C-alpha cells in the first residue's frame, strides 16, 4: 500500500516569521493524519526556523531546489547537505517554474535528484506538459521524457527515495484542475513507464502525486483515483486551515 503524501509548495511566499506562525497554527490541525505523509516545501530562508518549529510534529520540511555539488563556487545555490542540516527531509526537483524560468533541464534534474538522494533526502521529481503540448497530443511524450531522463541511471535502491509529481503546467495556479480522469490517465502512463524502467515492484511502490490547482473542494475526488498517491499544492497550502483540509482529505 502506498502511503498518501500531501505536500505544500510555498514557492516564493512566506518569511521566517510567517512560516513559524503557519506551523504553530497548523500542527494541531494535521496531528490526527497519521496515515498520511505531510510536508511543506518552503523558501530556503525559512527552512531552519520552519524545521525547528515543526520538530515533534508530523510535518516534514523540504527545500524547493538544490544544487548537485557538495560545495563550491556556485553563487546563490544551495547544496543538498545544507538542506539536511536545516532539518529538511525532502526536496522538490524540476518544478515547471524552475524549468521555465531558471533553465532547468532533465539532465540537471537528474544530477540534482541523485545528489539529494545521496544525502538522504527524499526527492519529489516534477513532470508535466504545457497547454500547447497537451493540445498537440504530446502529453505522454513530454511526461515520458521528463521521467525517463530525470531518472536515468537510478538504482532500485535510489527509487525508494523518489516521489513523482505530475503537474500539468496549464493547471498550475490557474484554477483549472485536471479532471480526476485526466490525472489518472497520465499517472497510469507514468506507472507503466516506471515498470518498464525498474520493474513492477518498484512501479507499484512509487508514489505519484498530482499537482495543479488542488483545493479542499477537489482533493477528495483526485485522491480517489487508483494511481494518485498524493498532492503537491501551491496556493491552497498557504493558509493553515486550507492546508489542514487537504491533509485531512479522508475525513
Ligand atoms: P497550485 O500550484 O496548487 O497553486 O496550482 C501547484 C504547484 O505549482 O506545485
Amino acid at each position: 500500500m502506498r502511503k498518501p503524501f500531501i505536500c505544500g509548495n510555498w514557492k516564493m511566499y512566506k518569511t521566517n516569521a510567517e512560516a513559524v506562525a503557519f506551523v504553530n497554527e497548523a500542527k494541531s490541525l494535521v496531528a490526527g493524519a497519521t496515515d498520511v505523509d505531510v510536508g511543506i516545501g518552503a523558501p530556503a530562508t525559512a527552512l531552519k526556523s520552519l524545521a525547528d518549529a515543526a520538530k515533534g510534529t508530523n510535518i516534514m520540511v523540504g527545500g524547493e531546489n538544490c544544487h548537485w555539488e557538495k560545495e563550491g563556487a556556485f553563487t546563490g545555490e544551495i547544496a543538498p547537505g545544507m538542506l539536511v542540516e536545516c532539518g529538511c527531509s525532502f526536496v522538490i526537483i524540476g518544478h515547471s517554474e524552475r524549468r521555465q524560468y531558471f533553465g532547468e533541464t532533465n539532465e540537471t534534474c537528474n544530477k540534482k535528484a541523485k545528489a539529494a538522494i545521496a544525502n538522504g533526502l527524499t526527492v519529489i521529481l516534477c513532470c508535466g506538459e504545457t497547454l500547447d503540448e497537451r493540445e498537440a497530443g504530446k502529453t505522454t511524450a513530454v511526461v515520458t521524457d521528463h521521467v525517463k531522463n530525470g531518472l536515468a541511471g537510478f538504482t532500485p535502491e535510489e527509487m525508494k527515495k523518489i516521489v513523482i509529481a505530475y503537474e500539468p503546467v496549464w493547471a498550475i495556479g490557474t484554477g483549472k484542475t485536471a479532471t480526476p480522469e485526466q490525472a489518472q490517465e497520465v499517472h497510469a502512463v507514468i506507472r507503466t513507464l516506471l515498470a518498464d524502467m525498474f520493474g513492477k515492484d518498484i512501479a507499484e511502490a512509487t508514489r505519484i502525486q498530482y499537482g495543479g490547482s488542488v483545493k479542499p473542494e477537489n482533493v477528495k475526488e483526485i485522491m480517489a483515483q487508483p494511481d494518485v498517491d498524493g498532492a503537491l499544492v501551491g496556493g491552497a497550502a498557504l493558509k493553515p486551515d486550507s492546508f489542514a483540509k487537504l491533509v485531512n482529505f479522508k475525513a
Side-chain angles (χ1 to χ4, degrees):
M1 250 329 253
R2 298 181 293 268
K3 190 177 185 185
F5 183 8
I6 304 290
C7 189
N9 169 20
W10 280 352
K11 312 192 178 188
M12 201 170 73
Y13 291 99
K14 293 199 191 292
T15 63
N16 263 327
E18 288 165 349
V20 171
F22 179 101
V23 166
N24 286 336
E25 198 178 329
K27 62 186 177 190
S28 61
L29 304 176
V30 301
T34 47
D35 52 356
V36 176
D37 279 341
V38 182
I40 295 170
T45 46
L47 289 174
K48 176 78 172 79
S49 318
L50 187 62
D52 285 347
K55 256 190 205 129
T57 75
N58 59 337
I59 302 173
M60 298 184 287
V61 171
E64 299 176 6
N65 176 38
C66 68
H67 198 271
W68 54 87
E69 292 289 350
K70 189 167 156 261
E71 58 185 12
F74 301 105
T75 302
E77 290 294 314
I78 297 164
M82 295 171 182
L83 293 179
V84 173
E85 197 205 24
C86 282
C88 290
S89 57
F90 70 92
V91 61
I92 301 167
I93 299 283
H95 189 279
S96 62
E97 287 150 16
R98 299 230 34 107
R99 293 178 191 259
Q100 190 179 346
Y101 305 128
F102 304 101
E104 280 199 10
T105 62
N106 290 328
E107 196 189 353
T108 56
C109 291
N110 182 266
K111 284 158 79 167
K112 287 173 184 218
K114 269 208 170 270
I117 289 170
N119 280 273
L121 292 163
T122 292
V123 167
I124 299 179
L125 178 71
C126 302
C127 63
E129 81 289 0
T130 63
L131 187 57
D132 281 355
E133 289 165 342
R134 174 163 282 261
E135 286 175 348
K138 292 184 185 156
T139 299
T140 296
V142 171
V143 169
T144 300
D145 177 54
H146 287 167
V147 174
K148 205 170 185 162
N149 294 309
L151 298 177
F154 273 57
T155 64
E157 202 53 33
E158 287 171 324
M159 283 304 295
K160 291 184 186 155
K161 301 287 271 182
I162 287 281
V163 175
I164 309 273
Y166 168 57
E167 298 205 305
V169 180
W170 48 272
I172 295 177
T174 58
K176 271 190 221 157
T177 325
T179 63
E181 295 73 25
Q182 282 174 322
Q184 169 57 28
E185 198 183 339
V186 180
H187 282 228
V189 166
I190 295 170
R191 204 172 304 286
T192 303
L193 173 64
L194 292 175
D196 288 347
M197 291 176 73
F198 302 104
K200 205 167 167 25
D201 289 353
I202 285 173
E204 285 302 318
T206 304
R207 291 177 295 180
I208 307 174
Q209 298 173 315
Y210 169 78
S213 298
V214 177
K215 305 181 265 287
E217 300 75 49
N218 60 23
V219 65
K220 216 177 174 130
E221 55 179 12
I222 290 170
M223 289 302 296
Q225 297 301 311
D227 286 298
V228 176
D229 311 309
L232 185 59
V233 188
L238 289 168
K239 295 228 167 73
D241 59 335
S242 168
F243 180 67
K245 283 184 187 146
L246 296 167
V247 169
N248 296 314
F249 70 93
K250 288 184 187 169

